[in-house]
Amino acid sequence: MRLTRADLFFERHFEPDSRPSERTRIRWLQQRVVPSKKVGGQWFVDEEKWLADGDPLVERVLAGEA
């Protein structure tokens, strides 16, 4: 599991003109639309889960198992 600060995640994976609004980002984090975890009042995103998108093979490769 590779956790990344949510603000950096959205900068990395969305172009500036397609980045969701702050309100939408918070909703996505709270509703786990984006695989996330709140630690000490700050949101973090599990980038490996996001990139795997539920594909077990991709999850194993990202975890270094395959």
Side-chain angles (χ1 to χ4, degrees), residues 44-58:
F44 292 87
V45 175
D46 183 345
E47 282 194 275
E48 289 177 355
K49 267 195 170 167
W50 171 263
L51 294 171
D53 195 32
D55 185 321
L57 175 60
V58 174

Side-chain angles (χ1 to χ4, degrees), residues 7 10 19-30:
D7 59 331
F10 284 106
R19 219 170 272 152
S21 69
E22 182 69 24
R23 187 176 190 182
T24 299
R25 286 182 267 181
I26 291 170
R27 188 175 66 242
W28 284 1
L29 295 167
Q30 291 172 335

